[in-house]
Amino acid sequence: VHDKMPQELPAGDVLVHCGDLTKTGRVDELQSAVAWMERQVTSGRVRAAVFIAGNHDTTLDTAYYEETGAQRFHRSSPEHPGAAAAAVRAGKGCYYLEHSSLRLGGLHFYGFTSQPAFCNWAFNVTRDGLVPLWKAVPGDVDVLLSHGPPQLHGDGCLPWRPNPTDREHPVT
């Protein structure tokens, strides 16, 4: 949503956000996004919020930010990746996933943060580098959060992701 959270949100069980909370990963933008999600939880609109970073959430990809992102996006006032990491873990009932799992309400969520390399943004991985990450996704996942588009739907890179049924434990 690039720092543009909606005013109204329909009630539901779990709010799922698949990245690009911010324009360029500023810590105040992350804090604002997490505060918005926390308000959805504390108001009772949803029971929990589960989210991942996207390529615009540059400070959450520490290696990228230190090598490229700070100079590219925040040259005059660099952010601190540690403060960004703390911001996304601060919300009550809000769960940040980065190649990690969460079991909540009988469901197994997994946050797959990496995406096919795109215009030198955060969380970019070569297509070959994505294969072992994809294979590491647990086989019993119910909800897979991914910032990259689904295969054959605007991804522009047909071979990057193996068929889920090719996994040792297929995602169904």
Side-chain angles (χ1 to χ4, degrees), residues 14-31:
V14 179
L15 167 62
V16 175
H17 193 297
C18 291
D20 284 355
L21 298 160
T22 70
K23 293 177 188 172
T24 61
R26 289 225 173 261
V27 172
D28 64 330
E29 293 174 333
L30 288 167
Q31 291 168 330

Side-chain angles (χ1 to χ4, degrees), residues 22-103:
T22 70
K23 293 177 188 172
T24 61
R26 289 225 173 261
V27 172
D28 64 330
E29 293 174 333
L30 288 167
Q31 291 168 330
S32 176
V34 172
W36 177 83
M37 287 187 282
E38 183 178 27
R39 282 193 303 276
Q40 306 312 306
V41 174
T42 59
S43 71
R45 190 168 294 282
V46 298
R47 289 184 297 143
V50 180
F51 64 105
I52 64 170
N55 58 301
H56 281 252
D57 304 317
T58 60
T59 49
L60 292 171
D61 183 347
T62 302
Y64 167 81
Y65 191 74
E66 290 175 351
E67 182 178 312
T68 303
Q71 183 65 22
R72 181 176 177 193
F73 298 110
H74 308 140
R75 183 176 305 162
S76 64
S77 181
E79 299 285 325
H80 190 277
V88 295
R89 288 177 171 79
K92 178 182 179 185
C94 300
Y95 304 94
Y96 174 68
L97 302 178
E98 187 174 319
H99 291 285
S100 59
S101 290
L102 170 71
R103 293 188 185 274

